[in-house]
Amino acid sequence: MSMEILEKYYEIKPESSIQDGNITRYMKNDSIYTIVPVTHVEQETLIELYEISEHMAKYQDKKVSRFVAQAEGKFLITHEEQDYVLLKNTKRKSGSQKNVGRMLAKFHERGKEIQIQISSINRIGQWKEYWITRLEQLERAWHAAVQEKPEEEFEKLFIESFPYYLGLCENAIQYVTDTEMDLVPQYSDRGTICHERFHDNLWKESLEIRNPFDWVFDHCGRDIAEWVRGCYFRQPRSFQPEMIHFLQGYQSIITITEFSWRLIYARLLFPLHYFSCIEEYYSAETQSKQKHLEEKMRRYIRDSGEYELFLKHFYKIAGADTKRIPIIDWI
């Protein structure tokens, strides 16, 4: 069907295709085309993502996907009652591996220059509300599981562990509240283009594509914290050198302010990894996937003390100036 869309609406006949994770991309000359289904994406969101991708391209980010208009000048097409947009990238030679922290800082620098008002994908100052909503949803699921007294091992783990992670959530929410009360954000703390969930592999793919549908508008601490979280869980016994390299690379371009450090820490306090594991389990379509998530949950619970130590020493390891930064007492 994707080939049909390309030929019918854009008059593009691909020379080849490549599978990039779950995404099929199509090649023509030096261009890479990606068809994105957007039936359930709000129009305002699509407009903002288009504007942002054009902004990033204008500021010389050559890896950003740009929206392609069809012959009639429209960016949105409807095919068999489903809506789609087409993204285009220029094929690039893979260069030597660069410091991801430095690359992210440059990306954030470009994003901070955007002039248009962002509302649909704006997450600035909304972490607490999102976390509270997510926590309440999980708490309802926990109460239901307690009432049902399940036989499944995963649900037993969920029932036993939730009160502990509830405490982490409450600390994260309070930490953000205190940060917003104690400090005035600096000019460098202004909003920028971030990712829904930034992780190490996002920019390590051979095609080096930066997809607007991965983006939100937020404080830079969001991306830094999620990269650090991923780094820790990828190698909990040996994460320090890579994390330090990343943070030093970032700060060679942008200095991390006290306000930023505290938001990064609050985000690391919030157990997003735990939430994601539970949400993935209940939406998993196969038993093997559920079994994999059960093992992941077991590791998270087993190693929770190690994660507490990571949180306790994070500022010191990261090289943050902690003279005025509050430390969580119970860690």
Side-chain angles (χ1 to χ4, degrees), residues 27 30 53 108 112 172 200 204 210 218 220 271 286 291 304:
M27 313 295 186
D30 288 329
S53 68
H108 284 165
K112 288 177 181 180
D200 194 52
K204 281 192 173 178
R210 296 181 181 173
D218 206 342
C220 63
T286 63
K291 191 66 179 175
S304 58

Side-chain angles (χ1 to χ4, degrees), residues 4-196:
E4 182 183 350
I5 290 173
L6 281 172
E7 293 186 21
K8 180 177 180 180
Y9 299 97
Y10 299 96
E11 300 179 356
I12 296 170
K13 291 189 177 182
E15 298 162 350
S16 60
S17 65
I18 185 171
Q19 198 66 29
D20 185 13
N22 296 324
I23 301 171
T24 303
R25 306 191 192 275
Y26 298 91
M27 313 295 186
K28 177 74 181 282
N29 298 327
D30 288 329
S31 298
I32 304 168
Y33 295 97
T34 307
I35 296 170
V36 182
V38 295
T39 304
H40 303 294
V41 180
E42 295 291 334
Q43 184 176 9
E44 185 181 4
T45 299
L46 290 174
I47 293 170
E48 288 183 0
L49 294 178
Y50 165 77
E51 295 282 2
I52 290 173
S53 68
E54 288 299 299
H55 165 84
M56 295 300 273
K58 175 184 172 184
Y59 275 77
Q60 304 301 311
D61 194 322
K62 297 176 181 177
K63 300 173 185 177
V64 166
S65 303
R66 300 181 75 175
F67 288 69
V68 180
Q70 55 160 312
E72 298 174 3
K74 296 178 180 178
F75 289 95
L76 183 71
I77 66 108
T78 302
H79 180 76
E80 296 181 358
E81 300 183 356
Q82 299 294 312
D83 296 330
Y84 301 90
V85 295
L86 181 64
L87 301 179
K88 178 182 177 180
N89 290 80
T90 301
K91 196 183 298 183
R92 297 167 53 82
K93 291 181 180 179
S94 295
S96 57
Q97 185 57 48
K98 298 176 182 177
N99 184 300
V100 177
R102 187 177 173 84
M103 290 164 59
L104 181 64
K106 289 183 176 181
F107 182 86
H108 284 165
E109 272 200 326
R110 295 182 182 114
K112 288 177 181 180
E113 297 303 320
I114 195 158
Q115 299 298 313
I116 65 167
Q117 183 70 33
I118 304 294
S119 56
S120 179
I121 62 167
N122 184 21
R123 303 293 181 267
I124 290 283
Q126 298 179 28
W127 293 7
K128 288 183 297 182
E129 288 72 19
Y130 273 92
W131 292 351
I132 289 168
T133 299
R134 209 162 176 180
L135 179 57
E136 288 173 346
Q137 290 172 344
L138 200 61
E139 195 165 11
R140 286 194 293 271
W142 179 74
H143 281 297
V146 170
Q147 294 293 325
E148 291 172 6
K149 298 179 180 178
E151 296 295 323
E152 296 292 334
E153 188 61 28
F154 183 93
E155 292 184 309
K156 290 179 181 178
L157 292 170
F158 173 34
I159 289 171
E160 293 168 5
S161 61
F162 179 73
Y164 168 78
Y165 286 98
L166 169 64
L168 274 182
C169 293
E170 290 173 341
N171 272 275
I173 292 164
Q174 187 60 49
Y175 205 86
V176 171
T177 301
D178 292 345
T179 298
E180 293 173 345
M181 290 176 63
D182 294 347
L183 297 174
V184 176
Q186 303 298 306
Y187 181 71
S188 60
D189 287 309
R190 67 194 187 279
T192 187
I193 300 165
C194 292
H195 300 76
E196 188 71 46

Side-chain angles (χ1 to χ4, degrees), residues 235-290:
Q235 43 192 8
R237 303 289 184 270
S238 57
F239 69 91
Q240 290 191 30
E242 189 176 354
M243 187 186 85
I244 292 168
H245 183 62
F246 169 84
L247 292 171
Q248 287 176 343
Y250 190 93
Q251 292 200 94
S252 69
I253 305 295
I254 299 175
T255 300
I256 300 176
T257 66
E258 181 184 345
F259 185 82
S260 295
W261 279 121
R262 287 175 65 168
L263 286 189
I264 291 165
Y265 191 74
R267 199 164 183 96
L268 291 172
L269 266 177
F270 185 80
L272 183 60
H273 50 285
Y274 176 80
F275 276 66
S276 298
C277 186
I278 293 168
E279 291 160 359
E280 283 183 51
Y281 179 87
Y282 284 113
S283 62
E285 297 179 354
T286 63
Q287 283 190 331
S288 61
K289 177 69 172 176
Q290 288 186 327

